[in-house]
Amino acid sequence: MNLHFLGGAMEIGGSCIYIRIAGRGILLDSGIRQTATKDPIPDFRTVQEQGGVDAVIISHAHMDHIGTLPIISKAYPNARIYMTAMTAELTRVLLYDSLKIMKYREDEIPHYSEQDVLAMLGRVHPIGYQTPFPIFDKFTLTFYPAGHIAGAACVYLVTEEGSLFYSGDFSAFPQRTIEGIRIPRLRPDAAIVETTYGNRLHSNRMVEERRLVELVRECVGQKKKILIPVFALGRAQEVLLILRAAIQNQEIPSVPVYVDGMVRDINTIYTRNPIYLKNALGRRIFKGNEPFYTKEIQPVAPTQKREELLSGQEPVILVSSSGMLTGGPSAQYARFLASREDACIIITGYQDEESPGRQLLNLLEETKERKLTIDGCTLPVKCRIEQVGLSAHGDKSEIVALLEQLSSRRVFLVHGNRDAIDELGNELAAEDYRRQIYLPECGQEYEVLLHNKRKQLTYVPSHTMQMQKEFTAEGAKRLWDYWREHYQGKIFPVSQIAQIWYGRAVTDDQILQNMQETLMGSPYFTPNVRRLFLFEANTPEAVAEATAPRELTIQELEQRVQKAFPGYEYRKLSYYPDKREVWMQFDYPDSIDAEGFRKSADIFCTSSDWKIQVSPSMNHSAAALLLTVLLGDRIAKTSYYQDKKYYSVTLTGNGGDDMVSEAAEKFREATGWTLLVNGQTADAAGRGTADAVMQRSGTAGLPEDFFVPRDIQTEMAEQNLAFFCIDQTFEELPHRPDKKSLKSDQEGKYLELAFVSPMIGRQYQDELQGLADQIGWRIHIADKVNQNMLFQTVQMLCMKCGITLLKNPSYLPERKSVQLKTNGLEDEGQRRRVKEEFLRQTGCDCIFSI
């Protein structure tokens, strides 16, 4: 076994270790140095000289462990890259952010291109925890939870020539997002262990969290602006959960908390991967709840101006990357706040010696002239500076405990500064003369000669079911009975459960993935309270409760609607449990075949014991879009009349009667409504002029979107009372007016209600007509859209669905739509979710372009 330390030895950054073992070249991590005084790239020349790379194994997704992956992967395209699924998602986000940063540094040549990143991501092979995987013949890789951040893994390699343990970055204590390191009894011949804090003991985690809360409360009481620079991955999520709990428990006043930088993207990845999180947090996500954001804690929209967040007199809290103030929005906020006495900057993590964050910490004891150089600018420092220890690295006691558990005779200490490594190394060597302690430096090679390899402990289940068929939901009861008979009270990872079921070791990813999904949805099994990737058998009482007859969930009801109404393209379902009714909303409910719908409704009622109805309201934004498609840009004005079910359009220009007649027929077929063009039906056999139709309906001369009291004797309510009635009417409805205004025209005063868009207002015609009858006022729906609200809404939806916008949205007034430009990496399902939810919230469409 030959070990080559290419980076991350006697330093923090650029972690990269090359191993020659069992005839293979293995790379453990491929990080980058993020300091200006050192070469950022590890010594890859050694890799070439020693025979190249057959596989790359990544411990976790911090840039000092993944930052040069595209470079080494491009050089060795046949080498598979192994990491956890969570690390794979985080790697994609961080490397694309790195591309963006390199793009804006015009004086530097980028280390790699977007195509290099895409190609590298295609070579990633995700592996779950505690699942031994044969990466080569007689060469097994197993990941174990390392703590530190979500998805982080300790690496265990077992080969014919010996075994190796690599800790990556680890932490033993549980955090709010994840549990600490969890490894079984292993028997490595050699161990490579991080020593970031090899000469320090951490303070109690709960004490430090309490101190952070007390600092924030004190600063809020003094109306200070608070900046908490955080590492976007790991530390940010911890800080947000601490603040969220403190606000909910009223330990901190309810003040705005703004989340900025890459933290927003990482939060989305955490939400998509609950199985890698702490049980309580994961279950919150499984139930559909938002884990990080509340009404107080909100992400900063890309269109928001950061100066405006700090412009008021009231206190605010800013949680932003980067954690060392080396870039990102946190550096901008620091420039605004450093010279202000009404500000406080709270440092929560490791600070590189050359970073602006380290400069601030060095000022803690300075009482005279205090200055900070950031982004090339030197500023006087008048703000308050504090430090809170929320480190996610193991301290000296945790490192020693890990080494005691591993009991390896050959120990290599890496990922620490020289003082930490020297101090810990000397102590370890003095404690046990049999232990060989190595303190490697970058560029050094070590040959590990193993005369007697340690015998490995392999899992062999005492009882197996020897099943020949695939594990499915139907087999869960049988497995549960067997489990309770032979393994009462035991917990297992999916790989060992598969071994019990099949009677043999299973390495096929798809089989293990299917088994995990089946176990997650089974009433017979539950993820372990502390480790979601381990499963335990439920008690008979829990199974009885889970399998008892119950009410259908909303998701199950929707599935039954889809099964009973194939081909019906409904827009939305609304549920009324007290009536046991489902209402289907269509763009054009009047065009539905009533007889066909009745037959499908009978099928649905039989299968669900719920009734189903069709909402009579037309989607007028869809109708307006259809008219644009049919008649083009000739439309000068559009009106519609709900009672008589017809649209009236005024066209510019002359001619085209055949085209107009064809458009009217297509409009009627699609919507079930009549179309009048320039005051006439397009068909001579139609109902005549618009005036004649309006005279028959009693609404002659009615302007668009006006609601007039039907009883002209109704006395007009006092204005404030009228506004109060409007607020009461919309209090329980999904949408509310953004603005209420007093207007006047030739007929007198009227009330105008502005919604996020007029299409939303038109969804409440019945309510608005009822209000007009009640308060005696004419009511008008404003014809303008709230573009800022549209942009904020669509940006939030894209963020939640993991879609990256390359530029700010733009509004297309002629189409009542918002146009979005993305990097094209999202799938159709992500786009559909954004479009559907955006239409529901705003009544407008969104158009994606790449």
Side-chain angles (χ1 to χ4, degrees):
M1 184 190 307
N2 288 72
L3 307 181
H4 301 262
F5 294 88
L6 314 183
M10 287 293 177
E11 64 177 352
I12 298 174
S15 291
C16 189
I17 303 168
Y18 179 69
I19 305 167
R20 292 299 305 183
I21 184 171
R24 300 287 184 174
I26 310 295
L27 201 66
L28 297 176
D29 287 335
S30 185
I32 195 168
R33 298 183 181 93
Q34 296 174 293
T35 176
T37 59
K38 295 182 180 180
D39 185 348
I41 310 297
D43 178 22
F44 287 144
R45 183 187 64 180
T46 298
V47 174
Q48 290 180 311
E49 293 174 348
Q50 296 297 321
V53 176
D54 296 298
V56 181
I57 301 172
I58 299 300
S59 63
H60 66 286
H62 277 145
M63 286 298 291
D64 62 327
H65 294 257
I66 63 167
T68 56
L69 254 181
I71 299 174
I72 197 69
S73 184
K74 184 176 184 179
Y76 298 96
N78 294 324
R80 260 190 172 185
I81 304 169
Y82 298 96
M83 58 181 74
T84 65
M86 179 71 161
T87 298
E89 279 217 58
L90 293 168
T91 295
R92 174 179 57 82
V93 172
L94 270 75
L95 289 181
Y96 270 100
D97 182 73
S98 178
L99 280 173
K100 183 171 61 177
I101 293 172
M102 289 190 292
K103 179 180 178 181
Y104 289 108
R105 290 178 176 171
E106 296 181 357
D107 57 334
E108 294 183 15
I109 300 175
H111 300 307
Y112 44 81
S113 67
E114 182 176 355
Q115 186 57 43
D116 296 334
V117 174
L118 279 171
M120 181 277 297
L121 292 172
R123 299 174 188 125
V124 170
H125 186 91
I127 298 179
Y129 288 135
Q130 292 192 205
T131 303
F133 188 84
I135 58 176
F136 305 112
D137 184 37
K138 299 180 181 179
F139 200 127
T140 302
L141 164 65
T142 309
F143 284 145
Y144 295 102
H148 189 57
I149 62 170
C154 296
V155 176
Y156 192 48
L157 288 171
V158 178
T159 77
E160 286 186 304
E161 292 186 2
S163 58
L164 175 73
F165 176 87
Y166 172 52
S167 71
D169 292 357
F170 78 95
S171 175
F173 57 84
Q175 303 176 55
R176 290 184 178 243
T177 53
I178 55 172
E179 296 290 350
I181 184 174
R182 291 291 185 273
I183 60 171
R185 285 286 178 185
L186 303 177
R187 297 174 60 80
D189 293 301
I192 305 172
V193 179
E194 75 132 323
T195 53
T196 307
Y197 293 115
N199 59 349
R200 284 176 49 182
L201 296 176
H202 292 325
S203 57
N204 181 274
R205 178 75 174 202
M206 293 180 62
V207 170
E208 290 299 298
E209 290 186 4
R210 171 56 49 193
R211 183 164 175 271
L212 174 62
V213 171
E214 291 173 353
L215 277 174
V216 170
R217 180 173 63 233
E218 181 182 335
C219 290
V220 168
Q222 297 169 352
K223 293 193 173 183
K224 290 183 182 290
K225 316 290 185 187
I226 305 167
L227 170 63
I228 308 179
V230 288
F231 301 118
L233 172 51
R235 188 64 43 79
Q237 292 70 40
E238 291 291 314
V239 169
L240 290 178
L241 291 179
I242 293 169
L243 295 177
R244 173 176 172 148
I247 293 173
Q248 290 177 340
N249 296 332
Q250 298 183 339
E251 298 170 316
I252 295 175
S254 180
V255 298
V257 180
Y258 296 110
V259 182
D260 207 350
M262 196 168 55
V263 179
R264 299 167 297 189
D265 297 326
I266 302 300
N267 285 350
T268 300
I269 302 298
Y270 269 60
T271 304
R272 288 211 298 257
N273 292 272
I275 199 167
Y276 285 93
L277 306 180
K278 205 169 185 176
N279 187 282
L281 186 61
R283 288 187 179 280
R284 184 190 302 173
I285 297 170
F286 277 129
K287 292 178 181 179
N289 298 321
E290 166 56 49
F292 301 112
Y293 299 122
T294 64
K295 62 183 178 69
E296 295 89 4
I297 303 174
Q298 289 293 317
V300 175
T303 56
Q304 284 184 277
K305 295 182 178 179
R306 295 186 171 102
E307 298 90 336
E308 294 177 357
L309 300 178
L310 304 170
S311 60
Q313 299 300 314
E314 295 303 311
V316 297
I317 304 170
L318 302 159
V319 179
S320 177
S321 56
S322 68
M324 294 190 283
L325 299 175
T326 52
S330 68
Q332 299 178 40
Y333 291 127
R335 288 204 308 272
F336 299 147
L337 298 176
S339 58
R340 292 172 54 165
E341 295 182 355
D342 66 338
C344 178
I345 300 177
I346 303 176
I347 303 296
T348 63
Y350 173 82
Q351 302 296 309
D352 185 83
E353 291 297 331
E354 302 171 11
S355 67
R358 172 62 64 181
Q359 292 181 49
L360 283 179
L361 292 183
N362 292 339
L363 297 177
L364 280 172
E365 306 300 326
E366 182 65 53
T367 58
K368 297 181 180 179
E369 186 177 9
R370 306 198 306 172
K371 292 184 178 181
L372 169 68
T373 300
I374 188 167
D375 285 349
C377 300
T378 300
L379 309 167
V381 176
K382 298 180 181 178
C383 70
R384 180 177 178 180
I385 305 167
E386 295 289 348
Q387 182 179 21
V388 177
L390 298 179
S391 173
H393 291 271
D395 67 0
K396 180 178 179 179
S397 65
E398 294 170 19
I399 298 169
V400 171
L402 174 61
L403 292 175
E404 288 294 328
Q405 180 176 346
L406 294 172
S407 66
S408 175
R409 296 298 182 208
R410 300 163 186 83
V411 176
F412 296 82
L413 301 182
V414 297
H415 200 286
N417 62 39
R418 187 174 297 276
D419 290 342
I421 291 178
D422 285 344
E423 181 177 325
L424 180 61
N426 290 326
E427 287 189 23
L428 291 173
E431 287 174 359
D432 188 346
Y433 73 93
R434 296 168 299 176
R435 183 186 282 157
Q436 300 173 18
I437 304 298
Y438 298 87
L439 311 183
E441 298 200 28
C442 290
Q444 289 185 341
E445 172 192 357
Y446 292 84
E447 182 179 6
V448 179
L449 298 175
L450 302 175
H451 302 292
N452 295 299
K453 294 180 298 180
R454 300 181 75 184
K455 187 175 180 180
Q456 297 303 307
L457 302 174
T458 58
Y459 175 72
V460 178
S462 55
H463 300 84
T464 62
M465 300 176 69
Q466 300 293 322
M467 300 299 294
Q468 300 301 313
K469 60 181 181 180
E470 183 180 355
F471 178 74
T472 62
E474 289 70 28
K477 172 63 165 58
R478 186 169 182 174
L479 174 62
W480 182 73
D481 289 334
Y482 193 85
W483 192 316
R484 285 178 49 77
E485 179 181 355
H486 298 287
Y487 298 106
Q488 181 73 21
K490 300 289 187 180
I491 59 176
F492 298 105
V494 175
S495 59
Q496 293 179 8
I497 299 172
Q499 197 168 351
I500 292 171
W501 176 262
Y502 293 105
R504 56 180 171 81
V506 177
T507 58
D508 187 296
D509 278 353
Q510 193 58 54
I511 292 177
L512 295 175
Q513 180 66 32
N514 292 342
M515 175 168 269
Q516 176 167 294
E517 292 174 359
T518 302
L519 290 169
M520 291 292 293
S522 171
Y524 297 98
F525 304 96
T526 303
N528 178 253
V529 172
R530 297 182 67 81
R531 289 163 283 176
L532 283 174
F533 59 91
L534 298 178
F535 288 89
E536 56 193 22
N538 289 336
T539 64
E541 294 77 14
V543 170
E545 181 180 349
T547 56
R550 58 180 177 79
E551 287 290 337
L552 295 173
T553 65
I554 297 301
Q555 292 80 6
E556 290 168 338
L557 276 173
E558 182 169 5
Q559 290 172 0
R560 300 199 181 192
V561 169
Q562 292 171 350
K563 185 175 181 180
F565 294 87
Y568 283 78
E569 297 182 1
Y570 60 87
R571 179 163 51 94
K572 179 186 173 185
L573 298 177
S574 299
Y575 305 91
Y576 301 93
D578 53 334
K579 302 178 183 177
R580 298 185 67 78
E581 284 185 355
V582 179
W583 282 66
M584 298 180 74
Q585 295 184 13
F586 294 89
D587 285 340
Y588 311 121
D590 295 293
S591 65
I592 295 174
D593 173 22
E595 181 62 24
F597 183 87
R598 185 188 63 76
K599 292 179 180 178
S600 296
D602 290 342
I603 296 173
F604 173 77
C605 292
T606 302
S607 68
S608 66
D609 197 30
W610 281 55
K611 296 179 182 178
I612 194 156
Q613 306 283 352
V614 175
S615 173
S617 300
M618 178 191 276
N619 181 357
H620 292 288
S621 62
L625 183 59
L626 176 60
L627 286 172
T628 301
V629 172
L630 295 174
L631 297 171
D633 57 4
R634 296 178 57 194
I635 300 175
K637 182 180 179 183
T638 304
S639 305
Y640 65 87
Y641 303 91
Q642 188 80 30
D643 294 343
K644 292 299 180 181
K645 300 187 185 302
Y646 76 87
Y647 261 77
S648 176
V649 298
T650 302
L651 300 183
T652 60
N654 298 313
D657 290 342
D658 291 341
M659 183 271 285
V660 170
S661 297
E662 182 180 353
E665 179 60 23
K666 288 182 178 179
F667 187 79
R668 185 188 62 77
E669 290 176 356
T671 67
W673 284 34
T674 300
L675 177 64
L676 285 89
V677 180
N678 293 337
Q680 299 286 334
T681 57
D683 186 348
R687 293 184 292 171
T689 66
D691 286 341
V693 174
M694 286 195 291
Q695 289 291 347
R696 287 198 298 271
S697 64
T699 57
L702 183 66
E704 182 182 10
D705 291 339
F706 256 95
F707 302 87
V708 178
R710 285 176 282 207
D711 184 353
I712 61 175
Q713 302 299 322
T714 302
E715 183 177 352
M716 293 173 62
E718 189 268 329
Q719 180 181 334
N720 289 332
L721 177 59
F723 284 165
F724 175 77
C725 292
I726 293 170
D727 291 338
Q728 288 290 100
T729 297
F730 282 92
E731 184 174 10
E732 299 299 328
L733 295 176
H735 305 91
R736 302 180 186 182
D738 294 338
K739 184 179 180 182
K740 303 183 290 291
S741 306
L742 180 65
K743 302 281 186 176
S744 61
D745 57 14
Q746 65 271 19
E747 296 185 24
K749 295 181 180 179
Y750 64 90
L751 301 180
E752 183 172 83
L753 305 185
F755 294 83
V756 64
S757 75
M759 291 75 77
I760 287 294
R762 292 165 191 157
Q763 295 180 15
Y764 300 100
Q765 296 183 56
D766 293 343
E767 288 82 1
L768 293 173
Q769 184 60 59
L771 274 169
D773 295 339
Q774 175 187 358
I775 63 179
W777 284 77
R778 291 182 299 145
I779 299 176
H780 180 238
I781 300 173
D783 60 357
K784 296 181 179 180
V785 301
N786 185 337
Q787 291 190 31
N788 287 335
M789 182 60 69
L790 292 184
F791 295 159
Q792 291 178 16
T793 301
V794 79
Q795 287 165 340
M796 176 69 75
L797 292 174
C798 286
M799 189 184 310
K800 287 184 176 180
C801 291
I803 296 177
T804 301
L805 298 180
L806 298 183
K807 59 186 295 187
N808 291 335
S810 56
Y811 181 64
L812 307 177
E814 70 281 359
R815 301 180 64 174
K816 296 290 193 295
S817 302
V818 170
Q819 188 169 36
L820 308 175
K821 186 172 183 180
T822 73
N823 58 16
L825 296 179
E826 72 279 356
D827 57 37
E828 190 58 38
Q830 291 171 294
R831 290 187 177 190
R832 184 177 67 254
R833 289 195 295 274
V834 170
K835 288 169 72 71
E836 290 175 352
E837 185 61 20
F838 186 64
L839 180 62
R840 185 188 71 79
Q841 293 188 29
T842 68
C844 295
D845 189 21
C846 56
I847 301 168
F848 287 88
S849 63
I850 301 174

